[in-house]
Amino acid sequence: KVPHTIQNGPILITSFGTVLNSWKVVWVVLSEDGVEFYKKKTDSSPKGMIPLKGATLTSPCQDFSKRTLVFKITTEKKQDHFFQASHVEERELWVKDVKRAITCLQGGKKFARRSTRRSIRLPDTISLNELYTLMKDQDDGVRELKLEQGNRVFNHCFTGATVVEWLVSKEKARNRPEALMLATGLLNEGFLQPADDLAKEGAETGEQTAFLDDTNALYYFVDSGFFCEGYSSDEDVLLKEEFRGNILKQGCLLKQGHRRKNWKVRKFILRDDPAYIHYYDPAKGDEPLGSIHLRGSVVTAVEYVPDAKKYDIDGNLFEIITSDEIHYFLQAATSEERKEWIKAIQAVSKSGK
């Protein structure tokens, strides 16, 4: 959609309107020199652009007492723009990349994840995707542990030193410097994520992500069941059994209400083992409005929704019927997106607890 778009791509977050003083869900794209926002994912031209040259980023942003997961971009002309993510990991990914883009602009350089292989001199014979798969092997891969640090407990994570030692022991690297190069590639491409403050500092400093060969730096697999218990830097992370599963898919859909039968945009996060899909109001923080237990449920594409007005329906509908025979009607933006959601939910309903 945009030339030189940073490889992690756009995600749906909440943006605070500086003119109308209201929160709206927008589609945001981070490029090498700015943040562009669109009314919808399918729009060909942005509604606006926030230049990052000379900008500063504040995270966490405490300007709103009743909102968490907010970060602020202040432009060179002292204009404030506020963004709210749907969960902690999403905010941290945005903050990391925006900070690196600002740092690169200050040094007159370009920031693009696609340059990872060249910037760290990664040989063409090495596949980071295959390496990541081996690392996640339950029997022979990197073990995910429950580690305590200060007054926090990090679940499903491992140390930077553990990754380096695994790469050397499995003969994926000849020595620790070479293993560190591979680990940096995995981090830079998003396969690994920083979990604690030390690892995040390394990932956000300078134009190139730095992986730390350190027993105190904690990391986790991007699609793992990572969560943190205890006091975080700006909010308490509460653990519930139904949030333990791996995040398999997330995004925004229209959901029909059970009482008024009206349609509203909701952020959905699909997890397995236990099999749950949680839905959120994208403009009101990270507390879910509700959850759907998917074990034994049935999901199908539908062309008709009872009690729905014709002008409310744009197609791409599907229905979830739970084992308790509760019906949920959802609407995707495209037919392809509907297929992807149905396929993912069907898999979870059969395999999850």
Side-chain angles (χ1 to χ4, degrees), residues 137-156:
D137 184 90
Q138 292 185 351
D139 298 322
D140 207 30
V142 176
R143 289 186 61 194
E144 296 176 273
L145 303 172
K146 181 175 183 178
L147 301 174
E148 294 187 23
Q149 193 177 90
N151 56 357
R152 288 184 286 173
V153 179
F154 297 85
N155 298 267
H156 298 283

Side-chain angles (χ1 to χ4, degrees), residues 276-289:
Y276 275 90
I277 187 168
H278 296 85
Y279 53 94
Y280 305 72
D281 183 338
K284 291 185 179 179
D286 59 340
E287 285 298 316
L289 298 175

Side-chain angles (χ1 to χ4, degrees), residues 11-128:
I11 58 174
L12 279 166
I13 65 175
T14 306
S15 176
F16 182 72
T18 54
V19 178
L20 298 177
N21 224 33
S22 60
W23 291 84
K24 292 184 178 180
V25 177
V26 294
W27 185 264
V28 177
V29 176
L30 172 62
S31 61
E32 61 191 25
D33 60 354
V35 175
E36 296 182 342
F37 50 94
Y38 300 75
K39 185 176 180 180
K40 295 185 297 183
K41 176 182 177 181
T42 53
D43 287 351
S44 57
S45 58
K47 290 294 182 182
M49 189 266 200
I50 303 169
L52 293 179
K53 185 176 181 180
T56 58
L57 187 144
T58 304
S59 178
C61 174
Q62 306 288 0
D63 291 30
F64 304 92
S65 58
K66 295 183 179 181
R67 291 184 182 273
T68 60
L69 306 175
V70 175
F71 62 93
K72 176 174 68 174
I73 298 175
T74 303
T75 66
E76 192 173 28
K77 295 182 178 181
K78 305 305 178 184
Q79 293 178 323
D80 291 335
H81 301 269
F82 301 90
F83 297 84
Q84 181 182 16
S86 63
H87 56 281
V88 176
E89 288 77 15
E90 183 181 65
R91 185 194 61 188
E92 294 305 313
L93 288 174
W94 275 96
V95 167
K96 180 182 73 172
D97 281 346
V98 171
K99 280 186 176 180
R100 288 175 59 203
I102 291 173
T103 301
C104 288
L105 287 170
Q106 289 174 343
K109 299 180 180 180
K110 292 183 177 181
F111 165 41
R113 278 193 182 158
R114 294 192 180 102
S115 64
T116 296
R117 183 173 293 276
R118 294 192 301 273
S119 64
I120 64 173
R121 299 178 182 178
L122 194 64
D124 294 333
T125 54
I126 293 177
S127 167
L128 292 178

Side-chain angles (χ1 to χ4, degrees), residues 61-261:
C61 174
Q62 306 288 0
D63 291 30
F64 304 92
S65 58
K66 295 183 179 181
R67 291 184 182 273
T68 60
L69 306 175
V70 175
F71 62 93
K72 176 174 68 174
I73 298 175
T74 303
T75 66
E76 192 173 28
K77 295 182 178 181
K78 305 305 178 184
Q79 293 178 323
D80 291 335
H81 301 269
F82 301 90
F83 297 84
Q84 181 182 16
S86 63
H87 56 281
V88 176
E89 288 77 15
E90 183 181 65
R91 185 194 61 188
E92 294 305 313
L93 288 174
W94 275 96
V95 167
K96 180 182 73 172
D97 281 346
V98 171
K99 280 186 176 180
R100 288 175 59 203
I102 291 173
T103 301
C104 288
L105 287 170
Q106 289 174 343
K109 299 180 180 180
K110 292 183 177 181
F111 165 41
R113 278 193 182 158
R114 294 192 180 102
S115 64
T116 296
R117 183 173 293 276
R118 294 192 301 273
S119 64
I120 64 173
R121 299 178 182 178
L122 194 64
D124 294 333
T125 54
I126 293 177
S127 167
L128 292 178
N129 189 56
E130 292 178 5
L131 188 59
Y132 178 68
T133 301
L134 292 172
M135 291 178 70
K136 288 203 66 182
D137 184 90
Q138 292 185 351
D139 298 322
D140 207 30
V142 176
R143 289 186 61 194
E144 296 176 273
L145 303 172
K146 181 175 183 178
L147 301 174
E148 294 187 23
Q149 193 177 90
N151 56 357
R152 288 184 286 173
V153 179
F154 297 85
N155 298 267
H156 298 283
C157 68
F158 38 81
T159 71
T162 298
V163 173
V164 171
E165 290 164 3
W166 183 89
L167 290 167
V168 174
S169 67
K170 300 301 177 184
E171 299 182 348
K172 304 302 177 184
R174 290 170 295 181
N175 48 47
R176 295 188 82 91
E178 192 173 283
L180 188 59
M181 178 191 70
L182 293 177
T184 299
L186 290 163
L187 180 66
N188 206 38
E189 291 297 323
F191 292 106
L192 303 180
Q193 295 295 328
D196 69 333
D197 294 338
L198 179 61
K200 289 175 183 177
E201 183 180 351
E204 295 169 6
T205 301
E207 65 187 74
Q208 181 64 48
T209 297
F211 187 92
L212 303 180
D213 180 5
D214 193 314
T215 56
N216 293 315
L218 306 182
Y219 299 88
Y220 64 93
F221 295 127
V222 66
D223 54 355
S224 73
F226 169 78
F227 60 90
C228 175
E229 298 173 274
Y231 180 73
S232 185
S233 57
D234 62 319
E235 63 261 325
D236 288 322
V237 182
L238 300 178
L239 169 65
K240 294 183 180 179
E241 177 65 27
E242 60 194 55
F243 291 109
R244 286 183 180 272
N246 297 330
I247 295 177
L248 301 182
K249 187 172 178 60
Q250 55 185 306
C252 282
L253 299 166
L254 282 171
K255 176 183 176 294
Q256 187 190 49
H258 277 104
R259 294 180 180 178
R260 297 183 180 179
K261 305 299 181 184

Side-chain angles (χ1 to χ4, degrees), residues 272-304:
D272 66 352
D273 197 21
Y276 275 90
I277 187 168
H278 296 85
Y279 53 94
Y280 305 72
D281 183 338
K284 291 185 179 179
D286 59 340
E287 285 298 316
L289 298 175
S291 63
I292 306 172
H293 192 192
L294 297 173
R295 178 63 175 170
S297 64
V298 176
V299 56
T300 55
V302 296
E303 303 302 327
Y304 167 77

Side-chain angles (χ1 to χ4, degrees), residues 253-255 263 312-318 329-333:
L253 299 166
L254 282 171
K255 176 183 176 294
W263 295 82
D312 288 336
I313 305 299
D314 292 328
N316 306 315
L317 300 163
F318 62 100
F329 292 99
L330 307 171
Q331 183 176 333

